Coordinates of all heavy atoms in Angstrom, one line a residue:
N347 N 86.6 77.8 145.7 CA 86.4 78.0 147.1 C 86.3 79.5 147.5 O 86.8 79.9 148.6 CB 87.4 77.3 148.0 CG 87.3 75.7 147.9 OD1 86.1 75.3 147.8 ND2 88.4 75.1 148.0
N353 N 82.2 78.9 149.8 CA 83.3 78.4 150.8 C 82.8 78.2 152.2 O 83.0 77.3 152.9 CB 84.5 79.4 150.8 CG 85.6 78.9 151.6 OD1 85.5 78.7 152.8 ND2 86.8 78.8 151.0
H354 N 82.1 79.2 152.7 CA 81.6 79.3 154.1 C 80.5 78.3 154.4 O 80.2 78.0 155.6 CB 81.1 80.7 154.5 CG 80.0 81.2 153.7 ND1 80.0 81.4 152.3 CD2 78.7 81.5 154.0 CE1 78.8 81.7 151.9 NE2 78.0 81.8 152.8
L355 N 80.0 77.6 153.3 CA 79.0 76.6 153.5 C 79.5 75.2 153.3 O 78.7 74.2 153.3 CB 77.8 76.9 152.7 CG 77.1 78.2 153.1 CD1 76.0 78.6 152.1 CD2 76.5 78.2 154.5
L356 N 80.7 75.0 152.8 CA 81.2 73.7 152.4 C 82.0 73.1 153.6 O 82.6 73.9 154.4 CB 82.2 73.8 151.2 CG 81.7 74.4 149.9 CD1 82.7 74.3 148.9 CD2 80.4 73.6 149.5
T357 N 82.0 71.8 153.7 CA 82.9 71.1 154.7 C 84.3 71.1 154.3 O 84.7 71.5 153.2 CB 82.4 69.7 154.8 OG1 82.7 68.9 153.7 CG2 80.9 69.6 155.1
R358 N 85.2 70.8 155.3 CA 86.6 70.7 155.0 C 86.9 69.8 153.9 O 87.6 70.1 153.0 CB 87.3 70.4 156.2 CG 88.8 70.2 156.0 CD 89.5 69.6 157.2 NE 90.9 69.2 156.9 CZ 91.8 68.5 157.7 NH1 91.2 68.1 158.9 NH2 93.0 68.3 157.4
E359 N 86.2 68.6 153.9 CA 86.5 67.6 152.9 C 85.9 68.1 151.5 O 86.6 67.9 150.4 CB 85.8 66.3 153.2 CG 86.0 65.2 152.2 CD 87.4 64.8 151.9 OE1 88.3 64.9 152.8 OE2 87.7 64.7 150.7
E360 N 84.9 68.8 151.5 CA 84.3 69.3 150.3 C 85.3 70.3 149.6 O 85.5 70.4 148.4 CB 82.9 69.9 150.4 CG 81.9 68.9 150.6 CD 80.5 69.5 151.0 OE1 80.5 70.6 151.7 OE2 79.4 68.9 150.6
K361 N 85.8 71.2 150.4 CA 86.7 72.2 150.0 C 88.0 71.6 149.3 O 88.5 72.0 148.2 CB 87.2 73.2 151.1 CG 86.1 74.0 151.6 CD 86.5 74.8 152.8 CE 85.4 75.5 153.5 NZ 85.8 76.3 154.7
R362 N 88.5 70.5 150.0 CA 89.6 69.8 149.5 C 89.4 69.1 148.2 O 90.1 69.2 147.2 CB 90.1 68.8 150.5 CG 91.4 68.1 150.1 CD 91.8 67.1 151.1 NE 93.0 66.3 150.6 CZ 94.2 66.4 151.1 NH1 94.4 67.2 152.1 NH2 95.3 65.7 150.6
S380 N 92.9 78.8 145.4 CA 91.9 78.3 146.4 C 91.6 79.3 147.5 O 92.6 79.8 148.0 CB 92.2 76.9 147.0 OG 91.2 76.6 147.9
G381 N 90.4 79.6 147.7 CA 90.1 80.6 148.8 C 90.2 79.9 150.2 O 89.9 78.7 150.4
I382 N 90.7 80.7 151.2 CA 90.8 80.3 152.6 C 90.0 81.2 153.4 O 90.3 82.4 153.4 CB 92.3 80.3 153.0 CG1 93.2 79.4 152.1 CG2 92.4 79.7 154.5 CD1 92.7 77.9 152.0
L383 N 88.9 80.7 154.0 CA 88.0 81.4 154.8 C 87.7 80.7 156.1 O 87.0 79.7 156.0 CB 86.8 81.8 154.0 CG 85.6 82.5 154.8 CD1 86.1 83.8 155.3 CD2 84.4 82.7 153.8
S384 N 88.1 81.2 157.2 CA 87.8 80.6 158.5 C 88.0 81.6 159.6 O 88.9 82.4 159.6 CB 88.7 79.4 158.8 OG 88.4 78.9 160.1
E385 N 87.0 81.6 160.6 CA 87.2 82.4 161.7 C 88.3 82.0 162.6 O 88.9 82.8 163.3 CB 85.9 82.4 162.6 CG 84.6 82.9 161.8 CD 84.6 84.4 161.6 OE1 85.4 85.0 162.3 OE2 83.9 84.9 160.7
D386 N 88.6 80.7 162.7 CA 89.6 80.2 163.6 C 90.9 80.1 162.8 O 91.0 79.5 161.7 CB 89.2 78.8 164.0 CG 90.2 78.2 165.0 OD1 90.3 78.5 166.1 OD2 90.9 77.2 164.4
L387 N 91.9 80.6 163.4 CA 93.2 80.7 162.7 C 93.8 79.3 162.4 O 94.3 79.0 161.3 CB 94.2 81.5 163.5 CG 95.6 81.7 162.9 CD1 95.6 82.1 161.5 CD2 96.5 82.6 163.8
D388 N 93.8 78.4 163.4 CA 94.3 77.1 163.3 C 93.6 76.3 162.1 O 94.2 75.6 161.4 CB 94.2 76.3 164.6 CG 95.1 76.7 165.7 OD1 96.1 77.4 165.4 OD2 94.8 76.5 166.9
E389 N 92.3 76.5 162.1 CA 91.5 75.9 161.0 C 91.9 76.5 159.7 O 92.0 75.8 158.7 CB 90.0 76.1 161.3 CG 89.1 75.3 160.2 CD 87.6 75.5 160.5 OE1 87.3 76.6 161.0 OE2 86.9 74.6 160.3
A390 N 92.1 77.8 159.6 CA 92.5 78.4 158.4 C 93.8 77.8 157.9 O 93.9 77.6 156.7 CB 92.6 79.9 158.6
C391 N 94.7 77.7 158.8 CA 96.0 77.1 158.4 C 95.9 75.6 157.9 O 96.5 75.2 157.0 CB 97.0 77.2 159.6 SG 97.5 78.8 160.0
L392 N 95.0 75.0 158.6 CA 94.7 73.6 158.2 C 94.2 73.5 156.8 O 94.6 72.7 155.9 CB 93.7 72.9 159.2 CG 93.5 71.4 159.1 CD1 94.7 70.6 159.3 CD2 92.4 71.0 160.0
H393 N 93.2 74.3 156.5 CA 92.6 74.4 155.2 C 93.6 74.9 154.1 O 93.5 74.4 153.0 CB 91.3 75.4 155.2 CG 90.2 74.9 156.0 ND1 89.0 75.6 156.0 CD2 90.0 73.8 156.7 CE1 88.2 74.9 156.8 NE2 88.8 73.8 157.2
A394 N 94.5 75.8 154.5 CA 95.6 76.2 153.6 C 96.4 75.0 153.2 O 96.7 74.8 152.0 CB 96.4 77.3 154.2
R395 N 96.8 74.2 154.2 CA 97.7 73.0 153.9 C 96.9 72.0 153.0 O 97.4 71.4 152.2 CB 98.1 72.4 155.2 CG 99.0 73.2 156.1 CD 99.6 72.4 157.2 NE 100.3 73.3 158.2 CZ 99.7 73.8 159.3 NH1 98.5 73.5 159.6 NH2 100.4 74.6 160.1
D396 N 95.6 71.8 153.4 CA 94.8 70.9 152.6 C 94.8 71.4 151.1 O 94.9 70.5 150.2 CB 93.3 71.0 153.0 CG 93.0 70.2 154.3 OD1 94.0 69.4 154.7 OD2 92.0 70.3 154.9
A397 N 94.6 72.6 150.8 CA 94.4 73.2 149.5 C 95.7 72.9 148.7 O 95.7 72.5 147.5 CB 94.1 74.6 149.5
I398 N 96.8 73.3 149.3 CA 98.1 73.0 148.7 C 98.3 71.5 148.4 O 98.8 71.1 147.3 CB 99.3 73.6 149.4 CG1 99.1 75.1 149.5 CG2 100.6 73.3 148.8 CD1 99.0 75.9 148.2
L405 N 97.0 80.6 147.1 CA 95.8 80.8 148.0 C 95.4 82.2 148.1 O 96.1 83.1 148.0 CB 96.2 80.3 149.4 CG 96.8 78.9 149.6 CD1 97.3 78.7 151.1 CD2 95.8 77.9 149.2
L406 N 94.1 82.4 148.2 CA 93.5 83.7 148.5 C 92.8 83.7 149.9 O 91.9 83.0 150.1 CB 92.4 84.0 147.4 CG 91.6 85.2 147.6 CD1 92.4 86.5 147.6 CD2 90.5 85.4 146.5
V407 N 93.4 84.5 150.7 CA 93.0 84.6 152.2 C 91.8 85.6 152.2 O 92.0 86.8 152.1 CB 94.1 85.0 153.1 CG1 93.6 85.0 154.5 CG2 95.3 84.0 152.9
F408 N 90.6 85.1 152.5 CA 89.5 86.0 152.8 C 89.4 86.5 154.2 O 89.8 85.7 155.1 CB 88.2 85.3 152.4 CG 87.9 85.1 151.0 CD1 88.3 83.8 150.4 CD2 87.3 86.0 150.2 CE1 88.0 83.6 149.0 CE2 87.1 85.8 148.8 CZ 87.4 84.6 148.3
P410 N 87.6 86.9 157.6 CA 86.5 86.2 158.3 C 85.4 87.3 158.4 O 85.6 88.4 158.6 CB 87.1 85.8 159.6 CG 88.5 85.6 159.4 CD 88.9 86.7 158.4
F411 N 84.2 86.8 158.3 CA 83.0 87.6 158.4 C 82.9 88.5 159.7 O 82.4 89.6 159.7 CB 81.7 86.8 158.2 CG 81.6 86.2 156.8 CD1 81.5 84.9 156.7 CD2 81.6 87.0 155.6 CE1 81.5 84.3 155.4 CE2 81.5 86.4 154.4 CZ 81.5 85.1 154.3
S412 N 83.4 87.9 160.8 CA 83.4 88.6 162.1 C 84.2 90.0 162.0 O 84.0 90.9 162.8 CB 83.9 87.7 163.2 OG 85.3 87.5 163.0
A424 N 98.3 89.0 162.1 CA 98.7 87.7 162.7 C 98.0 86.6 161.9 O 98.6 85.5 161.7 CB 98.3 87.6 164.1
H425 N 96.8 86.8 161.5 CA 96.0 85.8 160.7 C 96.7 85.5 159.4 O 97.0 84.3 159.1 CB 94.6 86.3 160.5 CG 93.7 85.4 159.9 ND1 92.9 84.5 160.6 CD2 93.4 85.1 158.5 CE1 92.2 83.8 159.8 NE2 92.4 84.2 158.5
H426 N 97.0 86.6 158.7 CA 97.7 86.3 157.4 C 99.1 85.8 157.6 O 99.6 84.9 156.8 CB 97.7 87.6 156.6 CG 96.4 88.0 156.1 ND1 95.4 88.7 156.8 CD2 95.8 87.9 154.8 CE1 94.3 88.9 156.0 NE2 94.6 88.5 154.8
A428 N 100.4 83.9 159.9 CA 100.3 82.5 160.2 C 100.1 81.6 159.0 O 100.7 80.5 158.8 CB 99.3 82.2 161.3
I429 N 99.2 82.1 158.1 CA 98.9 81.2 156.9 C 100.2 81.3 156.0 O 100.5 80.3 155.4 CB 97.6 81.8 156.2 CG1 96.4 81.6 157.1 CG2 97.4 81.1 154.8 CD1 95.2 82.2 156.6
C430 N 100.8 82.5 155.9 CA 102.0 82.6 155.1 C 103.0 81.6 155.6 O 103.8 81.0 154.8 CB 102.5 84.0 155.1 SG 101.6 85.2 154.1
A432 N 102.4 78.8 157.3 CA 101.9 77.5 157.3 C 102.2 76.8 156.0 O 102.2 75.5 156.0 CB 100.4 77.4 157.7
V433 N 102.3 77.5 154.9 CA 102.4 76.8 153.6 C 103.5 77.6 152.8 O 103.6 78.8 153.0 CB 101.0 76.9 152.8 CG1 100.0 76.0 153.4 CG2 100.6 78.3 152.6

Side-chain angles (χ1 to χ4, degrees):
N347 292 327
N353 182 305
H354 59 297
L355 298 172
L356 300 182
T357 66
R358 176 188 173 188
E359 181 54 39
E360 286 173 328
K361 295 175 189 179
R362 183 183 178 110
S380 178
I382 303 300
L383 173 59
S384 175
E385 298 287 342
D386 180 76
L387 179 53
D388 289 338
E389 184 180 34
C391 291
L392 188 62
H393 290 182
R395 296 188 190 99
D396 281 351
I398 297 303
L405 304 177
L406 172 62
V407 180
F408 286 95
F411 294 118
S412 65
H425 185 91
H426 286 81
I429 295 173
C430 289
V433 293

